[in-house]
Amino acid sequence: MKDILTAPFIVELCRTCSNMYAHGWDERNGGNISILLDEAQVGEYLDLSTVQRSIPAGFSAPELAGKIFLVTGTGKYFKNVAYDPARNLGIVRLDESGTAAQLLWGFSDGGSFTSEFAAHMMSHAVRLTADPKHRVVMHCHPNNLLAMSFVHDLDSRAFTKTLWQMCTECIMVFPDGVNVLPWMLCGTTAIGEATAQQMRSARLVVWAQHGIYGAGADLDETFGLIETAEKAATVYLKIAHLPWKQTITDAQLHLVEERYGVTAREGWLD
């Protein structure tokens, strides 16, 4: 059996958590990440027949029964993940009913998965239906997207168009746009269900006055989605109070579509 601490998915998640903390996106114990793992790959590092304990999920996701996830822990600081992965991360498998998680490794201090586990699992279920390659769900608190949710209309189309207009690459990176939820109580099944519903049509979902959710095929892609939207929000906040002499027009965004073979969300460009 190989050393689990050398597994690529552990090494990459440790690096990503450190990077996100350095960006200021995951203060204290803010933020969480989950990755759908390949069972055969995990089997090279763990005895999958050994379950350390069962953790109630607090919701039902039968469509994910038997699937294995690497998840950040509740109350854990991203800055500490790389120093003690076994304490701050866990590998869990949803049981046959999809209502409990079997702990296969990690949470060595007796901890549990992130309080946003419901939102993660429900989003995974939706994104896997949209694209079977989408195996990562990432939640964090980027400063400028958070600030933008205080001063910008929370209409998803309007919010997206503003971001698309800030940087030429935005429409290439997230042509499906950004969906926006009004403030909701975090850590609940209700916000998990609402997030998953929004994940049906976009890979980025802003939680107003809180943060953002992103989904993608791997950690790099998902991080890059959020990073690009955050860059656009940064530009917006630098100029929002100033008179605009020009911006990227819808006609110009259509030129980007044609040149780079992307299709903006239907009806969101004039």
Side-chain angles (χ1 to χ4, degrees):
M1 201 73 71
K2 299 178 182 178
D3 180 2
I4 186 68
L5 295 181
T6 68
F9 46 83
I10 295 288
V11 173
E12 188 177 5
L13 182 54
C14 287
R15 184 170 59 244
T16 299
C17 286
S18 295
N19 195 14
M20 293 173 72
Y21 182 80
H23 272 62
W25 296 357
D26 297 275
E27 72 293 335
R28 199 172 182 271
N29 62 318
N32 26 79
I33 301 173
S34 61
I35 308 171
L36 173 61
L37 301 177
D38 178 73
E39 182 175 343
Q41 187 179 25
V42 180
E44 297 178 12
Y45 300 91
L46 298 175
D47 178 0
L48 299 182
S49 66
T50 301
V51 176
Q52 297 183 14
R53 52 191 166 95
S54 181
I55 308 172
F59 63 94
S60 178
E63 61 269 53
L64 298 177
K67 294 191 181 298
I68 298 173
F69 296 88
L70 173 60
V71 191
T72 53
T74 185
K76 304 305 182 186
Y77 291 32
F78 271 28
K79 70 182 181 67
N80 295 332
V81 172
Y83 301 105
D84 194 349
R87 180 176 181 176
N88 294 287
L89 305 175
I91 295 177
V92 300
R93 178 177 57 209
L94 289 191
D95 68 6
E96 293 180 359
S97 66
T99 60
Q102 301 168 336
L103 180 63
L104 304 177
W105 173 87
F107 303 145
S108 61
D109 61 350
S112 183
F113 43 67
T114 169
S115 62
E116 303 294 356
F117 192 63
H120 278 257
M121 295 300 104
M122 293 176 185
S123 293
H124 273 292
V126 167
R127 290 314 307 170
L128 286 170
T129 299
D131 189 333
K133 296 190 296 293
H134 287 179
R135 305 175 73 86
V136 173
V137 172
M138 180 181 292
H139 170 57
C140 56
H141 308 151
N143 298 350
N144 294 288
L145 282 164
L146 175 58
M148 185 172 167
S149 73
F150 283 87
V151 300
H152 195 284
D153 190 325
L154 295 182
D155 173 77
S156 296
R157 180 175 181 264
F159 201 96
T160 294
K161 285 195 68 174
T162 294
L163 295 178
W164 282 348
Q165 290 173 332
M166 294 302 102
C167 306
T168 301
E169 69 172 354
C170 284
I171 198 169
M172 294 186 278
V173 175
F174 49 95
D176 48 345
V178 176
N179 284 339
V180 184
L181 285 175
W183 187 92
M184 296 180 66
L185 183 62
C186 58
T188 65
T189 300
I191 199 170
E193 292 171 344
T195 303
Q197 180 62 34
Q198 296 302 320
M199 278 279 182
R200 295 182 185 280
S201 55
R203 293 165 296 154
L204 289 170
V205 179
V206 166
W207 285 4
Q209 295 85 49
H210 185 135
I212 193 168
Y213 261 73
D218 54 38
L219 287 166
D220 276 350
E221 179 185 59
T222 312
F223 181 94
L225 274 171
I226 296 173
E227 187 176 36
T228 305
E230 170 67 357
K231 174 66 175 289
T234 304
V235 175
Y236 170 73
L237 291 177
K238 287 180 179 292
I239 66 171
H241 63 292
L242 300 173
W244 294 14
K245 294 188 176 181
Q246 54 272 323
T247 188
I248 303 174
T249 66
D250 281 21
Q252 290 168 332
L253 289 171
H254 281 305
L255 291 177
V256 177
E257 286 183 291
E258 295 169 11
R259 174 64 178 82
Y260 291 98
V262 297
T263 303
R265 189 156 163 180
E266 185 177 357
W268 282 26
L269 289 179
D270 294 331

PDB file of all heavy atoms in Angstrom, residues 150-184:
ATOM      1  N   PHE A 150     -22.247  43.854  -2.398  1.00  0.00           N
ATOM      2  CA  PHE A 150     -22.865  44.903  -1.592  1.00  0.00           C
ATOM      3  C   PHE A 150     -23.322  46.089  -2.436  1.00  0.00           C
ATOM      4  O   PHE A 150     -24.243  46.805  -2.047  1.00  0.00           O
ATOM      5  CB  PHE A 150     -21.886  45.417  -0.524  1.00  0.00           C
ATOM      6  CG  PHE A 150     -21.723  44.515   0.662  1.00  0.00           C
ATOM      7  CD1 PHE A 150     -20.783  43.496   0.636  1.00  0.00           C
ATOM      8  CD2 PHE A 150     -22.502  44.684   1.795  1.00  0.00           C
ATOM      9  CE1 PHE A 150     -20.620  42.656   1.737  1.00  0.00           C
ATOM     10  CE2 PHE A 150     -22.346  43.846   2.902  1.00  0.00           C
ATOM     11  CZ  PHE A 150     -21.400  42.827   2.867  1.00  0.00           C
ATOM     12  N   VAL A 151     -22.679  46.310  -3.568  1.00  0.00           N
ATOM     13  CA  VAL A 151     -22.913  47.550  -4.311  1.00  0.00           C
ATOM     14  C   VAL A 151     -23.498  47.336  -5.702  1.00  0.00           C
ATOM     15  O   VAL A 151     -23.877  48.304  -6.360  1.00  0.00           O
ATOM     16  CB  VAL A 151     -21.601  48.363  -4.427  1.00  0.00           C
ATOM     17  CG1 VAL A 151     -21.075  48.718  -3.050  1.00  0.00           C
ATOM     18  CG2 VAL A 151     -20.529  47.608  -5.223  1.00  0.00           C
ATOM     19  N   HIS A 152     -23.555  46.100  -6.151  1.00  0.00           N
ATOM     20  CA  HIS A 152     -24.046  45.813  -7.502  1.00  0.00           C
ATOM     21  C   HIS A 152     -25.416  45.156  -7.435  1.00  0.00           C
ATOM     22  O   HIS A 152     -25.739  44.446  -6.487  1.00  0.00           O
ATOM     23  CB  HIS A 152     -23.060  44.886  -8.223  1.00  0.00           C
ATOM     24  CG  HIS A 152     -23.261  44.801  -9.702  1.00  0.00           C
ATOM     25  ND1 HIS A 152     -24.281  44.076 -10.280  1.00  0.00           N
ATOM     26  CD2 HIS A 152     -22.567  45.361 -10.730  1.00  0.00           C
ATOM     27  CE1 HIS A 152     -24.211  44.186 -11.600  1.00  0.00           C
ATOM     28  NE2 HIS A 152     -23.187  44.962 -11.902  1.00  0.00           N
ATOM     29  N   ASP A 153     -26.213  45.395  -8.448  1.00  0.00           N
ATOM     30  CA  ASP A 153     -27.479  44.677  -8.597  1.00  0.00           C
ATOM     31  C   ASP A 153     -27.181  43.177  -8.547  1.00  0.00           C
ATOM     32  O   ASP A 153     -26.259  42.698  -9.209  1.00  0.00           O
ATOM     33  CB  ASP A 153     -28.102  45.057  -9.953  1.00  0.00           C
ATOM     34  CG  ASP A 153     -29.521  44.556 -10.120  1.00  0.00           C
ATOM     35  OD1 ASP A 153     -29.828  43.447  -9.620  1.00  0.00           O
ATOM     36  OD2 ASP A 153     -30.323  45.241 -10.768  1.00  0.00           O
ATOM     37  N   LEU A 154     -27.984  42.420  -7.802  1.00  0.00           N
ATOM     38  CA  LEU A 154     -27.739  40.981  -7.653  1.00  0.00           C
ATOM     39  C   LEU A 154     -28.416  40.141  -8.729  1.00  0.00           C
ATOM     40  O   LEU A 154     -28.393  38.913  -8.654  1.00  0.00           O
ATOM     41  CB  LEU A 154     -28.174  40.514  -6.264  1.00  0.00           C
ATOM     42  CG  LEU A 154     -27.382  41.104  -5.084  1.00  0.00           C
ATOM     43  CD1 LEU A 154     -27.882  40.530  -3.766  1.00  0.00           C
ATOM     44  CD2 LEU A 154     -25.890  40.861  -5.250  1.00  0.00           C
ATOM     45  N   ASP A 155     -28.998  40.774  -9.720  1.00  0.00           N
ATOM     46  CA  ASP A 155     -29.518  40.040 -10.868  1.00  0.00           C
ATOM     47  C   ASP A 155     -28.360  39.306 -11.550  1.00  0.00           C
ATOM     48  O   ASP A 155     -27.327  39.913 -11.874  1.00  0.00           O
ATOM     49  CB  ASP A 155     -30.183  41.007 -11.851  1.00  0.00           C
ATOM     50  CG  ASP A 155     -30.597  40.326 -13.127  1.00  0.00           C
ATOM     51  OD1 ASP A 155     -31.609  39.623 -13.127  1.00  0.00           O
ATOM     52  OD2 ASP A 155     -29.854  40.473 -14.129  1.00  0.00           O
ATOM     53  N   SER A 156     -28.505  38.016 -11.777  1.00  0.00           N
ATOM     54  CA  SER A 156     -27.392  37.200 -12.284  1.00  0.00           C
ATOM     55  C   SER A 156     -26.896  37.666 -13.646  1.00  0.00           C
ATOM     56  O   SER A 156     -25.684  37.724 -13.889  1.00  0.00           O
ATOM     57  CB  SER A 156     -27.814  35.730 -12.362  1.00  0.00           C
ATOM     58  OG  SER A 156     -28.097  35.210 -11.080  1.00  0.00           O
ATOM     59  N   ARG A 157     -27.814  38.019 -14.527  1.00  0.00           N
ATOM     60  CA  ARG A 157     -27.399  38.470 -15.862  1.00  0.00           C
ATOM     61  C   ARG A 157     -26.641  39.787 -15.766  1.00  0.00           C
ATOM     62  O   ARG A 157     -25.566  39.941 -16.392  1.00  0.00           O
ATOM     63  CB  ARG A 157     -28.618  38.635 -16.767  1.00  0.00           C
ATOM     64  CG  ARG A 157     -28.283  39.114 -18.182  1.00  0.00           C
ATOM     65  CD  ARG A 157     -29.537  39.125 -19.057  1.00  0.00           C
ATOM     66  NE  ARG A 157     -29.242  39.545 -20.422  1.00  0.00           N
ATOM     67  CZ  ARG A 157     -29.385  40.785 -20.868  1.00  0.00           C
ATOM     68  NH1 ARG A 157     -29.805  41.745 -20.035  1.00  0.00           N
ATOM     69  NH2 ARG A 157     -29.113  41.086 -22.127  1.00  0.00           N
ATOM     70  N   ALA A 158     -27.149  40.725 -14.985  1.00  0.00           N
ATOM     71  CA  ALA A 158     -26.485  42.024 -14.850  1.00  0.00           C
ATOM     72  C   ALA A 158     -25.111  41.868 -14.194  1.00  0.00           C
ATOM     73  O   ALA A 158     -24.133  42.495 -14.612  1.00  0.00           O
ATOM     74  CB  ALA A 158     -27.355  42.975 -14.040  1.00  0.00           C
ATOM     75  N   PHE A 159     -25.035  41.034 -13.170  1.00  0.00           N
ATOM     76  CA  PHE A 159     -23.779  40.795 -12.457  1.00  0.00           C
ATOM     77  C   PHE A 159     -22.755  40.190 -13.411  1.00  0.00           C
ATOM     78  O   PHE A 159     -21.593  40.625 -13.478  1.00  0.00           O
ATOM     79  CB  PHE A 159     -24.049  39.848 -11.285  1.00  0.00           C
ATOM     80  CG  PHE A 159     -23.026  39.895 -10.186  1.00  0.00           C
ATOM     81  CD1 PHE A 159     -23.219  40.685  -9.064  1.00  0.00           C
ATOM     82  CD2 PHE A 159     -21.880  39.112 -10.248  1.00  0.00           C
ATOM     83  CE1 PHE A 159     -22.295  40.707  -8.021  1.00  0.00           C
ATOM     84  CE2 PHE A 159     -20.947  39.127  -9.228  1.00  0.00           C
ATOM     85  CZ  PHE A 159     -21.147  39.924  -8.109  1.00  0.00           C
ATOM     86  N   THR A 160     -23.191  39.209 -14.185  1.00  0.00           N
ATOM     87  CA  THR A 160     -22.302  38.550 -15.144  1.00  0.00           C
ATOM     88  C   THR A 160     -21.816  39.516 -16.210  1.00  0.00           C
ATOM     89  O   THR A 160     -20.615  39.546 -16.542  1.00  0.00           O
ATOM     90  CB  THR A 160     -23.021  37.371 -15.818  1.00  0.00           C
ATOM     91  OG1 THR A 160     -23.297  36.365 -14.842  1.00  0.00           O
ATOM     92  CG2 THR A 160     -22.172  36.771 -16.936  1.00  0.00           C
ATOM     93  N   LYS A 161     -22.719  40.301 -16.773  1.00  0.00           N
ATOM     94  CA  LYS A 161     -22.319  41.213 -17.850  1.00  0.00           C
ATOM     95  C   LYS A 161     -21.284  42.220 -17.369  1.00  0.00           C
ATOM     96  O   LYS A 161     -20.356  42.567 -18.099  1.00  0.00           O
ATOM     97  CB  LYS A 161     -23.545  41.917 -18.445  1.00  0.00           C
ATOM     98  CG  LYS A 161     -24.379  41.006 -19.339  1.00  0.00           C
ATOM     99  CD  LYS A 161     -25.359  41.789 -20.196  1.00  0.00           C
ATOM    100  CE  LYS A 161     -24.658  42.618 -21.245  1.00  0.00           C
ATOM    101  NZ  LYS A 161     -25.607  43.270 -22.166  1.00  0.00           N
ATOM    102  N   THR A 162     -21.439  42.679 -16.133  1.00  0.00           N
ATOM    103  CA  THR A 162     -20.433  43.590 -15.596  1.00  0.00           C
ATOM    104  C   THR A 162     -19.072  42.900 -15.548  1.00  0.00           C
ATOM    105  O   THR A 162     -18.057  43.490 -15.939  1.00  0.00           O
ATOM    106  CB  THR A 162     -20.834  44.076 -14.194  1.00  0.00           C
ATOM    107  OG1 THR A 162     -22.009  44.886 -14.305  1.00  0.00           O
ATOM    108  CG2 THR A 162     -19.725  44.902 -13.557  1.00  0.00           C
ATOM    109  N   LEU A 163     -19.028  41.668 -15.074  1.00  0.00           N
ATOM    110  CA  LEU A 163     -17.754  40.939 -15.013  1.00  0.00           C
ATOM    111  C   LEU A 163     -17.192  40.709 -16.410  1.00  0.00           C
ATOM    112  O   LEU A 163     -15.992  40.891 -16.646  1.00  0.00           O
ATOM    113  CB  LEU A 163     -17.944  39.606 -14.283  1.00  0.00           C
ATOM    114  CG  LEU A 163     -18.316  39.688 -12.804  1.00  0.00           C
ATOM    115  CD1 LEU A 163     -18.528  38.285 -12.239  1.00  0.00           C
ATOM    116  CD2 LEU A 163     -17.252  40.419 -12.003  1.00  0.00           C
ATOM    117  N   TRP A 164     -18.044  40.319 -17.359  1.00  0.00           N
ATOM    118  CA  TRP A 164     -17.580  40.108 -18.735  1.00  0.00           C
ATOM    119  C   TRP A 164     -16.974  41.384 -19.319  1.00  0.00           C
ATOM    120  O   TRP A 164     -16.028  41.326 -20.100  1.00  0.00           O
ATOM    121  CB  TRP A 164     -18.751  39.670 -19.610  1.00  0.00           C
ATOM    122  CG  TRP A 164     -19.149  38.222 -19.478  1.00  0.00           C
ATOM    123  CD1 TRP A 164     -18.472  37.227 -18.853  1.00  0.00           C
ATOM    124  CD2 TRP A 164     -20.343  37.628 -19.999  1.00  0.00           C
ATOM    125  NE1 TRP A 164     -19.156  36.041 -18.947  1.00  0.00           N
ATOM    126  CE2 TRP A 164     -20.318  36.259 -19.652  1.00  0.00           C
ATOM    127  CE3 TRP A 164     -21.424  38.116 -20.716  1.00  0.00           C
ATOM    128  CZ2 TRP A 164     -21.338  35.367 -20.007  1.00  0.00           C
ATOM    129  CZ3 TRP A 164     -22.450  37.234 -21.069  1.00  0.00           C
ATOM    130  CH2 TRP A 164     -22.401  35.878 -20.721  1.00  0.00           C
ATOM    131  N   GLN A 165     -17.510  42.526 -18.927  1.00  0.00           N
ATOM    132  CA  GLN A 165     -17.043  43.803 -19.488  1.00  0.00           C
ATOM    133  C   GLN A 165     -15.715  44.269 -18.878  1.00  0.00           C
ATOM    134  O   GLN A 165     -15.084  45.175 -19.414  1.00  0.00           O
ATOM    135  CB  GLN A 165     -18.100  44.889 -19.256  1.00  0.00           C
ATOM    136  CG  GLN A 165     -19.354  44.716 -20.091  1.00  0.00           C
ATOM    137  CD  GLN A 165     -20.438  45.692 -19.709  1.00  0.00           C
ATOM    138  OE1 GLN A 165     -20.517  46.136 -18.556  1.00  0.00           O
ATOM    139  NE2 GLN A 165     -21.301  46.025 -20.663  1.00  0.00           N
ATOM    140  N   MET A 166     -15.300  43.678 -17.782  1.00  0.00           N
ATOM    141  CA  MET A 166     -14.095  44.141 -17.099  1.00  0.00           C
ATOM    142  C   MET A 166     -12.808  43.585 -17.699  1.00  0.00           C
ATOM    143  O   MET A 166     -11.768  44.251 -17.691  1.00  0.00           O
ATOM    144  CB  MET A 166     -14.157  43.761 -15.612  1.00  0.00           C
ATOM    145  CG  MET A 166     -15.248  44.454 -14.825  1.00  0.00           C
ATOM    146  SD  MET A 166     -15.152  46.268 -14.851  1.00  0.00           S
ATOM    147  CE  MET A 166     -16.434  46.660 -16.069  1.00  0.00           C
ATOM    148  N   CYS A 167     -12.838  42.347 -18.190  1.00  0.00           N
ATOM    149  CA  CYS A 167     -11.638  41.695 -18.733  1.00  0.00           C
ATOM    150  C   CYS A 167     -12.049  40.882 -19.950  1.00  0.00           C
ATOM    151  O   CYS A 167     -13.011  40.106 -19.883  1.00  0.00           O
ATOM    152  CB  CYS A 167     -10.987  40.755 -17.722  1.00  0.00           C
ATOM    153  SG  CYS A 167     -10.576  41.469 -16.124  1.00  0.00           S
ATOM    154  N   THR A 168     -11.312  41.022 -21.029  1.00  0.00           N
ATOM    155  CA  THR A 168     -11.655  40.319 -22.269  1.00  0.00           C
ATOM    156  C   THR A 168     -11.743  38.816 -22.076  1.00  0.00           C
ATOM    157  O   THR A 168     -12.587  38.151 -22.678  1.00  0.00           O
ATOM    158  CB  THR A 168     -10.619  40.640 -23.361  1.00  0.00           C
ATOM    159  OG1 THR A 168     -10.590  42.046 -23.575  1.00  0.00           O
ATOM    160  CG2 THR A 168     -10.946  39.927 -24.658  1.00  0.00           C
ATOM    161  N   GLU A 169     -10.892  38.239 -21.214  1.00  0.00           N
ATOM    162  CA  GLU A 169     -10.846  36.784 -21.065  1.00  0.00           C
ATOM    163  C   GLU A 169     -12.049  36.217 -20.317  1.00  0.00           C
ATOM    164  O   GLU A 169     -12.306  35.007 -20.380  1.00  0.00           O
ATOM    165  CB  GLU A 169      -9.575  36.362 -20.343  1.00  0.00           C
ATOM    166  CG  GLU A 169      -9.528  36.761 -18.885  1.00  0.00           C
ATOM    167  CD  GLU A 169      -8.352  36.156 -18.143  1.00  0.00           C
ATOM    168  OE1 GLU A 169      -7.626  35.333 -18.714  1.00  0.00           O
ATOM    169  OE2 GLU A 169      -8.171  36.527 -16.976  1.00  0.00           O
ATOM    170  N   CYS A 170     -12.806  37.060 -19.609  1.00  0.00           N
ATOM    171  CA  CYS A 170     -13.865  36.536 -18.752  1.00  0.00           C
ATOM    172  C   CYS A 170     -14.888  35.708 -19.518  1.00  0.00           C
ATOM    173  O   CYS A 170     -15.296  34.633 -19.070  1.00  0.00           O
ATOM    174  CB  CYS A 170     -14.565  37.673 -18.011  1.00  0.00           C
ATOM    175  SG  CYS A 170     -13.595  38.333 -16.641  1.00  0.00           S
ATOM    176  N   ILE A 171     -15.345  36.206 -20.652  1.00  0.00           N
ATOM    177  CA  ILE A 171     -16.366  35.472 -21.400  1.00  0.00           C
ATOM    178  C   ILE A 171     -15.810  34.161 -21.951  1.00  0.00           C
ATOM    179  O   ILE A 171     -16.555  33.211 -22.195  1.00  0.00           O
ATOM    180  CB  ILE A 171     -16.967  36.343 -22.520  1.00  0.00           C
ATOM    181  CG1 ILE A 171     -18.309  35.749 -22.978  1.00  0.00           C
ATOM    182  CG2 ILE A 171     -15.990  36.519 -23.673  1.00  0.00           C
ATOM    183  CD1 ILE A 171     -19.104  36.664 -23.875  1.00  0.00           C
ATOM    184  N   MET A 172     -14.486  34.087 -22.114  1.00  0.00           N
ATOM    185  CA  MET A 172     -13.864  32.837 -22.547  1.00  0.00           C
ATOM    186  C   MET A 172     -13.789  31.828 -21.414  1.00  0.00           C
ATOM    187  O   MET A 172     -13.951  30.638 -21.613  1.00  0.00           O
ATOM    188  CB  MET A 172     -12.457  33.098 -23.086  1.00  0.00           C
ATOM    189  CG  MET A 172     -12.408  33.911 -24.359  1.00  0.00           C
ATOM    190  SD  MET A 172     -10.734  34.029 -25.003  1.00  0.00           S
ATOM    191  CE  MET A 172     -10.069  35.348 -24.003  1.00  0.00           C
ATOM    192  N   VAL A 173     -13.541  32.321 -20.194  1.00  0.00           N
ATOM    193  CA  VAL A 173     -13.355  31.438 -19.043  1.00  0.00           C
ATOM    194  C   VAL A 173     -14.693  30.980 -18.464  1.00  0.00           C
ATOM    195  O   VAL A 173     -14.861  29.815 -18.100  1.00  0.00           O
ATOM    196  CB  VAL A 173     -12.511  32.139 -17.961  1.00  0.00           C
ATOM    197  CG1 VAL A 173     -12.397  31.280 -16.708  1.00  0.00           C
ATOM    198  CG2 VAL A 173     -11.122  32.460 -18.506  1.00  0.00           C
ATOM    199  N   PHE A 174     -15.658  31.893 -18.365  1.00  0.00           N
ATOM    200  CA  PHE A 174     -16.972  31.475 -17.849  1.00  0.00           C
ATOM    201  C   PHE A 174     -18.089  32.003 -18.754  1.00  0.00           C
ATOM    202  O   PHE A 174     -18.862  32.886 -18.387  1.00  0.00           O
ATOM    203  CB  PHE A 174     -17.192  31.882 -16.384  1.00  0.00           C
ATOM    204  CG  PHE A 174     -16.892  33.312 -16.016  1.00  0.00           C
ATOM    205  CD1 PHE A 174     -17.895  34.270 -15.987  1.00  0.00           C
ATOM    206  CD2 PHE A 174     -15.616  33.706 -15.668  1.00  0.00           C
ATOM    207  CE1 PHE A 174     -17.639  35.581 -15.625  1.00  0.00           C
ATOM    208  CE2 PHE A 174     -15.340  35.007 -15.299  1.00  0.00           C
ATOM    209  CZ  PHE A 174     -16.363  35.948 -15.282  1.00  0.00           C
ATOM    210  N   PRO A 175     -18.207  31.445 -19.961  1.00  0.00           N
ATOM    211  CA  PRO A 175     -19.275  31.858 -20.881  1.00  0.00           C
ATOM    212  C   PRO A 175     -20.665  31.519 -20.348  1.00  0.00           C
ATOM    213  O   PRO A 175     -21.657  32.121 -20.788  1.00  0.00           O
ATOM    214  CB  PRO A 175     -18.971  31.075 -22.160  1.00  0.00           C
ATOM    215  CG  PRO A 175     -18.190  29.884 -21.695  1.00  0.00           C
ATOM    216  CD  PRO A 175     -17.369  30.372 -20.553  1.00  0.00           C
ATOM    217  N   ASP A 176     -20.750  30.569 -19.432  1.00  0.00           N
ATOM    218  CA  ASP A 176     -22.045  30.220 -18.845  1.00  0.00           C
ATOM    219  C   ASP A 176     -22.470  31.215 -17.780  1.00  0.00           C
ATOM    220  O   ASP A 176     -23.579  31.125 -17.251  1.00  0.00           O
ATOM    221  CB  ASP A 176     -22.018  28.807 -18.251  1.00  0.00           C
ATOM    222  CG  ASP A 176     -20.806  28.536 -17.368  1.00  0.00           C
ATOM    223  OD1 ASP A 176     -19.827  29.311 -17.428  1.00  0.00           O
ATOM    224  OD2 ASP A 176     -20.824  27.534 -16.626  1.00  0.00           O
ATOM    225  N   GLY A 177     -21.609  32.183 -17.468  1.00  0.00           N
ATOM    226  CA  GLY A 177     -21.977  33.253 -16.562  1.00  0.00           C
ATOM    227  C   GLY A 177     -21.815  32.911 -15.095  1.00  0.00           C
ATOM    228  O   GLY A 177     -21.268  31.870 -14.722  1.00  0.00           O
ATOM    229  N   VAL A 178     -22.302  33.799 -14.269  1.00  0.00           N
ATOM    230  CA  VAL A 178     -22.262  33.665 -12.812  1.00  0.00           C
ATOM    231  C   VAL A 178     -23.688  33.805 -12.293  1.00  0.00           C
ATOM    232  O   VAL A 178     -24.354  34.797 -12.582  1.00  0.00           O
ATOM    233  CB  VAL A 178     -21.363  34.757 -12.183  1.00  0.00           C
ATOM    234  CG1 VAL A 178     -21.397  34.665 -10.662  1.00  0.00           C
ATOM    235  CG2 VAL A 178     -19.933  34.648 -12.690  1.00  0.00           C
ATOM    236  N   ASN A 179     -24.139  32.831 -11.541  1.00  0.00           N
ATOM    237  CA  ASN A 179     -25.453  32.941 -10.906  1.00  0.00           C
ATOM    238  C   ASN A 179     -25.269  33.511  -9.499  1.00  0.00           C
ATOM    239  O   ASN A 179     -24.270  33.235  -8.837  1.00  0.00           O
ATOM    240  CB  ASN A 179     -26.152  31.587 -10.847  1.00  0.00           C
ATOM    241  CG  ASN A 179     -26.707  31.173 -12.200  1.00  0.00           C
ATOM    242  OD1 ASN A 179     -26.924  32.014 -13.067  1.00  0.00           O
ATOM    243  ND2 ASN A 179     -26.945  29.886 -12.389  1.00  0.00           N
ATOM    244  N   VAL A 180     -26.233  34.297  -9.061  1.00  0.00           N
ATOM    245  CA  VAL A 180     -26.120  34.993  -7.784  1.00  0.00           C
ATOM    246  C   VAL A 180     -27.304  34.645  -6.890  1.00  0.00           C
ATOM    247  O   VAL A 180     -28.459  34.724  -7.314  1.00  0.00           O
ATOM    248  CB  VAL A 180     -26.066  36.523  -7.987  1.00  0.00           C
ATOM    249  CG1 VAL A 180     -25.857  37.228  -6.651  1.00  0.00           C
ATOM    250  CG2 VAL A 180     -24.955  36.905  -8.964  1.00  0.00           C
ATOM    251  N   LEU A 181     -26.996  34.260  -5.657  1.00  0.00           N
ATOM    252  CA  LEU A 181     -28.026  34.022  -4.647  1.00  0.00           C
ATOM    253  C   LEU A 181     -28.045  35.190  -3.667  1.00  0.00           C
ATOM    254  O   LEU A 181     -26.990  35.690  -3.275  1.00  0.00           O
ATOM    255  CB  LEU A 181     -27.729  32.738  -3.867  1.00  0.00           C
ATOM    256  CG  LEU A 181     -27.986  31.406  -4.562  1.00  0.00           C
ATOM    257  CD1 LEU A 181     -27.524  30.259  -3.670  1.00  0.00           C
ATOM    258  CD2 LEU A 181     -29.462  31.245  -4.897  1.00  0.00           C
ATOM    259  N   PRO A 182     -29.217  35.613  -3.234  1.00  0.00           N
ATOM    260  CA  PRO A 182     -29.272  36.624  -2.168  1.00  0.00           C
ATOM    261  C   PRO A 182     -28.761  36.007  -0.873  1.00  0.00           C
ATOM    262  O   PRO A 182     -28.591  34.787  -0.777  1.00  0.00           O
ATOM    263  CB  PRO A 182     -30.767  36.951  -2.080  1.00  0.00           C
ATOM    264  CG  PRO A 182     -31.443  35.688  -2.548  1.00  0.00           C
ATOM    265  CD  PRO A 182     -30.556  35.133  -3.625  1.00  0.00           C
ATOM    266  N   TRP A 183     -28.529  36.840   0.131  1.00  0.00           N
ATOM    267  CA  TRP A 183     -28.027  36.321   1.399  1.00  0.00           C
ATOM    268  C   TRP A 183     -28.935  35.222   1.929  1.00  0.00           C
ATOM    269  O   TRP A 183     -30.166  35.351   1.933  1.00  0.00           O
ATOM    270  CB  TRP A 183     -27.942  37.438   2.442  1.00  0.00           C
ATOM    271  CG  TRP A 183     -27.274  36.971   3.711  1.00  0.00           C
ATOM    272  CD1 TRP A 183     -25.955  37.044   4.012  1.00  0.00           C
ATOM    273  CD2 TRP A 183     -27.909  36.339   4.829  1.00  0.00           C
ATOM    274  NE1 TRP A 183     -25.707  36.485   5.247  1.00  0.00           N
ATOM    275  CE2 TRP A 183     -26.898  36.044   5.782  1.00  0.00           C
ATOM    276  CE3 TRP A 183     -29.234  35.980   5.129  1.00  0.00           C
ATOM    277  CZ2 TRP A 183     -27.165  35.419   7.005  1.00  0.00           C
ATOM    278  CZ3 TRP A 183     -29.502  35.353   6.342  1.00  0.00           C
ATOM    279  CH2 TRP A 183     -28.475  35.091   7.261  1.00  0.00           C
ATOM    280  N   MET A 184     -28.310  34.118   2.353  1.00  0.00           N
ATOM    281  CA  MET A 184     -29.028  33.015   2.993  1.00  0.00           C
ATOM    282  C   MET A 184     -28.176  32.524   4.160  1.00  0.00           C
ATOM    283  O   MET A 184     -26.953  32.717   4.176  1.00  0.00           O
ATOM    284  CB  MET A 184     -29.258  31.859   2.013  1.00  0.00           C
ATOM    285  CG  MET A 184     -30.147  32.170   0.840  1.00  0.00           C
ATOM    286  SD  MET A 184     -30.368  30.730  -0.265  1.00  0.00           S
ATOM    287  CE  MET A 184     -31.287  29.602   0.804  1.00  0.00           C
TER     288      MET A 184
END
